[in-house]
């Protein structure tokens, strides 16, 4: 596995080793010791253990986010796409962080098999770029409705450059009405 820091060093792209031949391919999608060692090589802390796996399916143009949970149920997420493609985004919402309010975006797809590690303290969202996009993610804490928050996906103060495509943008009402960063509950 290769671990690649993004322009926000705490957010890491993980490229698994894929072994292909004329029968297809094989990859190890997760292994705790390798995950922890890869983060440690980058000088990043070992996260809490993963306790929940989630799976969503979206049509092209569905934008989910920006979502996060506050303590005591803040979540780190290890995300990947197993069918289709998505533009995945993490926004630093840790007050006092040198990258507070900054974002990174990475295309995750079944073809590139990349994963993204997003630690607690980040809002997360994604835009499905293809129909029938299946998004899987592991979380370091369980879903807790009372800790759940959303932030406006197109906040001009953040300035996320979402890709355009041949699709209509679709959002949940809570995402369309979410507060901007300057009014959101943050870490």
């Amino acid at each position: 596995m290769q671990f690649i820091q993004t322009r926000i060093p705490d957010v890491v792209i993980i490229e698994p080793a894929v072994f292909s031949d004329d029968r297809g391919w094989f990859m190890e999608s997760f292994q705790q010791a390798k995950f922890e060692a890869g983060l440690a090589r980058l000088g990043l802390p070992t996260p809490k253990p993963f306790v929940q796996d989630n799976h969503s399916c979206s049509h092209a143009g569905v934008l989910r986010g920006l979502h996060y949970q506050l303590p005591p149920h803040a979540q780190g997420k290890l995300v990947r796409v197993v069918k289709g493609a998505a533009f995945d985004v993490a926004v630093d919402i840790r007050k006092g962080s040198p990258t507070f309010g900054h974002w990174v975006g990475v295309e995750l797809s079944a073809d590139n098999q990349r994963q993204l590690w997003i630690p607690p303290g980040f809002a997360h969202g994604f835009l499905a770029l293809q129909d029938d996009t299946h998004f899987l993610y592991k979380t370091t804490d369980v879903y807790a409705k009372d800790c759940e928050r959303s932030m406006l996906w197109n906040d001009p103060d953040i300035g996320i450059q979402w890709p355009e495509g041949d699709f209509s943008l679709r959002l949940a009402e809570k995402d369309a009405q979410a507060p901007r960063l300057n009014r959101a509950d943050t870490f």
Side-chain angles (χ1 to χ4, degrees):
M1 289 187 171
Q2 185 174 9
F3 288 70
I4 305 162
Q5 286 180 298
T6 64
R7 67 177 183 250
I8 301 177
D10 295 332
V11 178
V12 178
I13 298 166
I14 302 170
E15 293 180 341
V18 180
F19 304 95
S20 300
D21 61 25
D22 60 345
R23 300 169 297 153
W25 56 266
F26 170 85
M27 74 175 204
E28 190 176 73
S29 61
F30 179 76
Q31 205 256 45
Q32 188 72 34
K34 289 180 182 177
F35 177 68
E36 290 175 6
L39 293 178
R41 279 192 302 277
L42 299 175
L44 298 174
T46 298
K48 291 173 32 180
F50 293 110
V51 297
Q52 183 174 313
D53 282 6
N54 300 314
H55 185 155
S56 70
C57 178
S58 300
H59 298 291
V62 169
L63 194 149
R64 298 182 188 268
L66 301 163
H67 301 151
Y68 58 101
Q69 287 189 175
L70 294 172
H73 295 288
Q75 294 178 319
K77 297 177 181 178
L78 181 61
V79 300
R80 67 189 180 118
V81 169
V82 296
K83 185 176 182 186
F87 184 70
D88 198 66
V89 172
V91 179
D92 188 346
I93 58 171
R94 302 169 298 172
K95 288 182 181 170
S97 166
T99 56
F100 178 79
H102 295 205
W103 66 276
V104 293
V106 175
E107 184 171 326
L108 304 177
S109 71
D111 291 337
N112 71 24
Q113 297 171 319
R114 287 177 141 190
Q115 299 178 45
L116 192 65
W117 164 243
I118 304 163
F122 286 78
H124 171 252
F126 69 89
L127 172 63
L129 301 174
Q130 297 175 9
D131 280 334
D132 203 23
T133 291
H134 287 251
F135 195 88
L136 300 179
Y137 53 107
K138 304 174 99 42
T139 64
T140 60
D141 209 316
V142 297
Y143 171 73
K145 187 165 181 58
D146 58 326
C147 296
E148 179 186 31
R149 300 292 187 276
S150 294
M151 188 179 336
L152 191 60
W153 66 279
N154 63 348
D155 183 338
D157 293 335
I158 299 170
I160 297 170
Q161 296 172 6
W162 296 99
E164 295 182 18
D166 190 21
F167 48 73
S168 298
L169 196 62
R170 293 190 272 178
L171 295 117
E173 186 64 28
K174 75 173 187 175
D175 295 338
Q177 301 300 320
R180 291 175 57 172
L181 175 61
N182 63 3
R183 293 183 172 242
D185 294 330
T186 55
F187 284 72

